[in-house]
Amino acid sequence: MHGLVGESPVQDAKREAILKHARTAFVTEGYAATRMEPIAREAGVSTATLYALFSGKAELYSAVIDAAGDDFARRMAHVRAIEGDAREALTSFAEAYADFMGDVFVRSIFRLVVAERPRFQAVASGLFEKGQAAIGATLIDTLKRLSEAGQIKPLEHPSWAAGQLVGMIEHPVFFVSLVTGEEIRIRRTRKQIVDDAVETFLARYGT
């Protein structure tokens, strides 16, 4: 996340350091248990500097999630389907999406956002909307292209088809660990999950 307009490079560096250590604190300790003073100490700034940049813990939390959303958007920009036939295009998308959703950091941020949603509904909605815009639109456009080229069946609701594909990936690589904890491991490899999802999708929508 870039610094605010008018901030000096030094202030920007301090802001980034604060956000980095605040993110770790929020993820490991939760919002309620996180304290501002240790964050300032870990970031190498005074408490006064921290409060000069962030008026309080709520503003700092919002900034942390906003910065994580920016990071997600940069990473999700690489989730693209290559040109090619339906199997090649969908597999390339599914592999990139599975890698993103299977990242421990991504899950830790989502776990934090879900836990604090009652207190920060707008923050949670903003993160969700960024994900929809970055990934949902990419897959829907790919499905429309494949449908127009006759490589998959005509789609009355491309968004429904997109949801079915990502759902087959999200459940094993994201939601299982999100709900049960990082110590739970599914038996299928990520490649098997991707191959199964694409095969199932093409069995329904392939020509």
Side-chain angles (χ1 to χ4, degrees), residues 125-197:
S125 297
L127 185 66
F128 177 73
E129 288 167 4
K130 282 184 179 180
Q132 275 193 321
I135 287 186
T138 295
L139 179 54
I140 289 171
D141 288 345
T142 298
L143 294 179
K144 288 179 178 178
R145 173 176 63 80
L146 293 173
S147 180
E148 290 169 0
Q151 296 191 37
I152 62 174
K153 295 176 181 177
L155 300 175
E156 183 177 357
H157 300 288
S159 62
W160 294 4
Q164 290 164 6
L165 178 60
V166 298
M168 288 187 284
I169 297 167
E170 285 174 354
H171 177 74
V173 305
F174 179 75
F175 284 111
V176 170
S177 295
L178 183 73
V179 174
T180 61
E182 298 302 330
E183 68 277 5
I184 302 298
R185 292 290 180 269
I186 58 175
R187 293 183 178 180
R188 287 186 295 166
T189 66
R190 197 167 294 175
K191 183 179 186 307
Q192 288 173 324
I193 291 169
V194 166
D195 289 346
D196 287 347

Side-chain angles (χ1 to χ4, degrees), residues 6-79:
E7 285 187 0
S8 69
V10 173
Q11 287 176 311
D12 190 57
K14 289 179 179 178
R15 182 182 178 87
E16 293 295 327
I18 291 169
L19 289 174
K20 174 185 175 182
H21 291 285
R23 182 177 70 188
T24 299
F26 284 129
V27 165
T28 58
E29 301 173 24
Y31 179 84
T34 294
R35 295 171 54 241
M36 299 288 273
E37 291 75 11
I39 293 173
R41 185 167 57 249
E42 291 293 327
V45 303
S46 68
T47 304
T49 297
L50 190 156
Y51 279 104
L53 293 170
F54 303 96
S55 63
K57 188 163 68 169
E59 183 179 328
L60 180 57
Y61 171 84
S62 297
V64 164
I65 302 305
D66 189 46
D70 290 343
D71 180 50
F72 289 178
R74 285 191 294 271
R75 295 170 62 180
M76 289 187 292
H78 299 289
V79 179

